[in-house]
Each structure stands twice: as C-alpha cells, then as structure tokens.
C-alpha cells in the first residue's frame, strides 16, 4: 500500500531495535517499512522514497558474511541516515575506515555537537545519547565531516560532503537518548522535507479501497475471536464491503466470561454484520477430556477449530476470501523477503492451516500495522474502548490457563477468579497501565483453614506483565493493597480456592503464559 504516499524504507541489518525505528518514524507522521538489505537501488527507487534509513546491527563490517547493501543507494538523490552499523557500513563502502575501538561504548555517553547541522536543529550543544558499539569510524577518507563527538568517539555523528548522507554512532530510536525523537524528526522534516501526511484515518480509507479492489464482488469470511486484531479486521472489512462480509465466531467453551455476549452485541447489534455463532463447547471439551500435556491440548484445539470453521464456511455461498489479522511484527519475524517479492519486503507465511484447507485467498488488511496502530485504527473505525484496549488472549483460550486436565467445572472456577481479578485491576485504574493480566488455575491443592475447618483446595496464580512488544516482558509491581484485595476476594467469593500466589517471573526466562 505504498501508492503516492510518503515513505521511508529502513534497511534492516539485524538490529533488535529496527522495529522501533519504524515506529518512531510513523509516530512522526511518515509511513515506514523494514526492507531487506539485499534490496536493489532500482527497487528502492521504484518505491519513490522520501529518504532512507540504515539500521544498526550486531555484525562488524569487516567480518566475512557481514550484511551489506547496494552501494548505488547512495546515488539515488534522496537523504540517507545511517545508525550505528548503518553509518559504519556507509563509511566502509565509500572509502572510510572502520575498526574496533580502544574504548567500547555501551550505555549513556555525553555528546558534544560541533557546528550547526539541520540534523541537530533545536537540540542542545551538550546532550546525552545511548551508545551500543564496539566498532567505530576511525578515518573518513576526506568524505565525511564530523558534526558531533563523545570523549571516546570523535565521529559520533557525521555528514558526507557533497551528498545528503548523515550518520550517527548512537541510537536515536531509544528513549535513553532524550533528544533522539527530535533528531529523527529533523531528518524527516528538515532534511527529507516530508509533509507528514501519515494518519490512521487516511490509512482506513486507503485500506478499505484496496480491499474493495481485491475482493471485487466475492464474499469474504472473517474468523472473529473477540480479540483486538480480528475485531479491527471485521470493522474495516465492514466499512469496505458491507454485506459481502460474513463473520464466524466459534464458541469453544474456553473463552473469558462474557466474551460471546460482547462479540454479539458489538458486531451483530451495533455494526449489523452477518455474524454466525457456532456453539462447539461440547466438541472441544470432549477432545480435551483426560489431556494434560500443553502441546497436545493445542494440537487438539487447533484441529477441532479447523473442522468447525470448515463446516461453518460451507454454509456461506460464493466465499472466496478469508480475512486474517496478520500484523507487521508477524511479517517481520518471518524473515526477509525472498526473490521476486515486492521491494524485498519481509513476508509472513500463514501457519494456521485454514486458507490451504479451505481453498481461500487471503485478505490481510492490517499487515502493515503495529499493535498500537491497530488500536488507533479501531478507535477511528468506531470500536468501543472496551474492545480496542482489551488485553491479548491466547488462541487456545483458557485451556492453557487451566494447568492439567481441562473440565467445565475447572474452567468455570478460573473464569470466576478472572472476573474478580480484572474488576480490581480496572477499579485501581491499572488496566491500561498493564499489558496483560490474568489468572492461572494450578494443578495442585493446598491446605488451608476457613472458619473452624481444615480445607484442601485449589491454588490460583495471578500473572501481570508490562511490555512493548510481547517478545520480552517484565512482571508488574502491582500495589500491595490491590494484590491484597484481589486475594481476599478470590478466596472469599470463589468456592474451591484457598490460596492465591503472584507470579514475579520476567520473560525471558519465563514465558508470559504458563503453557
């Protein structure tokens, strides 16, 4: 969906923060995408970019097999910003010298800006930046002029003579660089001269138009789960094709309390979408009877879901497309684009099995968006705050939060605990401040005392995490009084629970879900 919009391709050399660069550029009002460093200058030129950014990376430019790029990209006539490895690679390709520094820099460093450059417009002459490098440019071959330095890095920022190339040895995309966002905005607005027209409202119109062009008069099926991604897909497709959209919601019996009612109220009653609800609780619980192994649970749930969905799809005549909520991190994580793919953009390969088994073509209107952008799009499309800001929920549902065998009584017990947990988190105004909060029913019982009697009942674990991308996460330091209320209410109100514990594990080494 590049069209005529402003675009900043980011050549990704393996940096852990490449996604963050893209998000910072988008937040500044300019659309950006990650592309493979193998992309040719001709492919980049065809994208009509406003500028280019070369990301950092873990390699050394002089290592055998280190990622490189087409040197002709520096002759495209558009501004280029090299970050860390990207700066070193440019120097290496254009006649400078890069070598291991006497002093490695990892962490905060004091930057001194020498002379004024549009890259540092409005930024104090003395500031702090975040360094993470062992190599640095040691000779510039007369091509670069230094525009900033640190005590141990004389070429902390450079400008190429005669070309619009800028390089920085530090990481402006990180919040640890206080004026990093200002630097990126300067590159975009002062050097690339962008207008900053990237808005979610305009994305909604463009995406809807592209969906209409792709599907024509065909019918489209969307699997609704009640989560943010599928809900936004459904709302966008409804805007695009109206009655050609048919949503299928499978009630597995493994859902959160009130999930089915929320979906029906939102999509059938409010949006007037053709919503088909399949009540398959008995089938799913029958498949899970006697099963405790987490992977076997997932396998059986996935198999049954495909069977149920296939049956529902047969009742929708002329359906040719299946809509999925693939997001940009899914696209990125699947690896760089292969030969023949448009502009070397990384591709996502669907692993759900549904398109192949049903013979559908895919519609993935969110595949250019990050999670926070999907939430903003949901707001633009009129979804309620309750839906847009919901915490993620695993595909297998509560089956992976009921450790051990999954039965209806154990699911009901966990649902009752989860309702209390979320009520208290919302009441304490902590729901938006946390990324994911849920209860886990453990496969152990413990001794307790209630009244004058001895009990031997279930133990429930509380999990609360904060994260930017769910690739890593830290446990939330919830206030003790909130934890106390949660524990007291669960033990007093949920029959069968006499102990509540709090999970203080981070990811890694632990995972967010217990199974």
């Amino acid at each position: 969906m590049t069209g005529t919009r402003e675009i900043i391709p980011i050549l990704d050399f393996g940096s852990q923060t490449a996604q963050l660069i893209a998000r910072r550029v988008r937040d500044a009002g300019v659309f950006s995408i990650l592309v493979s460093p193998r992309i040719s200058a001709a492919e980049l030129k065809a994208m009509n970019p406003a500028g280019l950014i070369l990301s950092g990376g873990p390699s050394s430019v002089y290592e055998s097999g280190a990622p490189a790029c087409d040197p002709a990209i520096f002759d495209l006539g558009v501004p280029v910003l090299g970050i860390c490895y990207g700066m070193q690679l440019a120097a290496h390709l254009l006649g400078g010298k890069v070598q291991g520094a006497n002093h490695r820099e990892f962490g905060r460093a004091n930057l001194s800006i020498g002379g004024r450059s549009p890259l540092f417009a409005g930024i104090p002459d003395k500031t702090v930046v975040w360094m993470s490098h062992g190599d640095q440019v040691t000779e510039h071959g007369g091509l670069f002029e230094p525009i900033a330095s640190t005590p141990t890095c004389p070429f902390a920022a450079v400008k190429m003579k005669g070309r619009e190339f800028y390089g920085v040895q530090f990481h402006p995309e990180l919040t640890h660089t206080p004026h990093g966002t200002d630097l990126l905005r300067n590159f975009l607005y002062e050097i690339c001269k962008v207008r900053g027209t990237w808005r979610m409202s305009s994305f909604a119109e463009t995406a809807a138009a592209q969906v209409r062009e792709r599907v024509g008069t065909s019918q489209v099926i969307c699997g609704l789960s009640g989560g943010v991604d599928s809900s936004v897909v459904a709302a966008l497709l409804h805007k695009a094709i109206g009655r050609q959209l048919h949503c299928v919601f499978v009630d597995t019996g493994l859902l959160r309390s009130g999930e089915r009612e929320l979906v029906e109220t939102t999509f059938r009653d409010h949006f007037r979408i053709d919503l088909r609800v399949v009540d398959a609780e008995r089938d799913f619980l029958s498949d899970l009877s006697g099963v405790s192994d987490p992977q076997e649970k997932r396998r059986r749930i996935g198999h049954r879901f495909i069977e149920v969905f296939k049956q529902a799809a047969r009742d929708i005549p002329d359906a040719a497309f299946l809509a999925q909520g693939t997001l940009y991190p899914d696209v990125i994580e699947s690896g760089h684009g292969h030969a023949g793919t448009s502009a070397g953009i990384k591709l996502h390969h669907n692993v759900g099995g549904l398109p192949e088994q049903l013979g559908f073509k895919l519609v993935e209107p969110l595949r250019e968006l990050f999670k926070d952008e999907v939430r903003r799009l949901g707001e633009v499309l009129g979804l309620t705050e309750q839906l847009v800001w919901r915490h993620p929920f695993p595909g297998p549902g509560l089956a992976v939060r009921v450790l051990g065998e999954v039965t209806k009584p154990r699911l009901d017990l966990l649902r009752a605990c989860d309702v209390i947990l979320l009520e208290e988190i919302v009441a304490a105004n902590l729901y938006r401040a946390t990324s994911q909060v849920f209860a886990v029913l453990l496969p152990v019982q413990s001794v307790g005392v209630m009244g004058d009697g001895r009990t031997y009942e279930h133990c429930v674990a509380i999990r609360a995490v904060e994260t930017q991308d769910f690739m890593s996460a830290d446990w939330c330091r919830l206030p003790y009084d909130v934890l106390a209320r949660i524990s007291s209410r669960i033990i007093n109100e949920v029959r069968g629970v006499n102990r509540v514990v709090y999970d203080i594990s981070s990811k890694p080494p632990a995972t967010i879900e217990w199974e």
Side-chain angles (χ1 to χ4, degrees), residues 341-486:
T341 61
S342 174
I345 298 170
K346 302 176 185 179
L347 297 182
H348 169 68
H349 302 282
N350 178 271
V351 293
L354 279 172
E356 294 86 350
Q357 295 208 23
L358 295 173
F360 287 150
K361 290 175 279 189
L362 271 180
V363 176
E364 299 173 300
L366 308 183
R367 62 180 285 116
E368 291 186 338
L369 301 184
F370 291 105
K371 188 74 173 188
D372 57 332
E373 294 172 326
V374 172
R375 295 189 193 278
R376 293 208 301 271
L377 177 59
E379 292 175 330
V380 167
L381 293 170
L383 289 174
T384 64
E385 182 176 340
Q386 182 184 9
L387 257 179
V388 168
W389 290 100
R390 296 197 86 187
H391 287 176
F393 189 62
L398 296 180
V400 294
R401 294 179 181 173
V402 171
L403 274 56
E405 184 180 8
V406 180
T407 64
K408 191 171 187 341
R410 299 189 79 209
L411 287 164
D412 289 341
L413 185 148
L414 180 59
R415 269 189 279 262
C417 296
D418 212 45
V419 166
I420 292 171
L421 169 61
L422 292 178
E423 281 179 356
E424 291 299 330
I425 292 295
V426 171
N429 199 30
L430 292 170
Y431 192 80
R432 291 276 291 271
T434 54
S435 302
Q436 199 169 1
V437 180
F438 57 90
V440 181
L441 181 61
L442 305 184
V444 296
Q445 291 182 300
S446 66
V447 174
V449 176
M450 301 185 97
D452 294 325
R454 176 182 180 277
T455 62
Y456 191 64
E457 294 179 331
H458 293 287
C459 178
V460 170
I462 304 302
R463 182 74 158 139
V465 299
E466 51 190 20
T467 177
Q468 291 293 321
D469 54 15
F470 291 90
M471 300 300 291
S472 62
D474 195 14
W475 61 278
C476 292
R477 277 64 169 174
L478 295 180
Y480 287 158
D481 59 333
V482 175
L483 288 172
R485 284 196 301 272
I486 292 167

Side-chain angles (χ1 to χ4, degrees), residues 262-279:
L262 176 64
V263 170
E264 288 183 311
T265 299
T266 301
F267 293 97
R268 180 180 288 157
D269 300 341
H270 177 66
F271 282 101
R272 304 295 180 185
I273 289 174
D274 176 29
L275 175 64
R276 304 172 185 223
V277 176
V278 181
D279 191 345

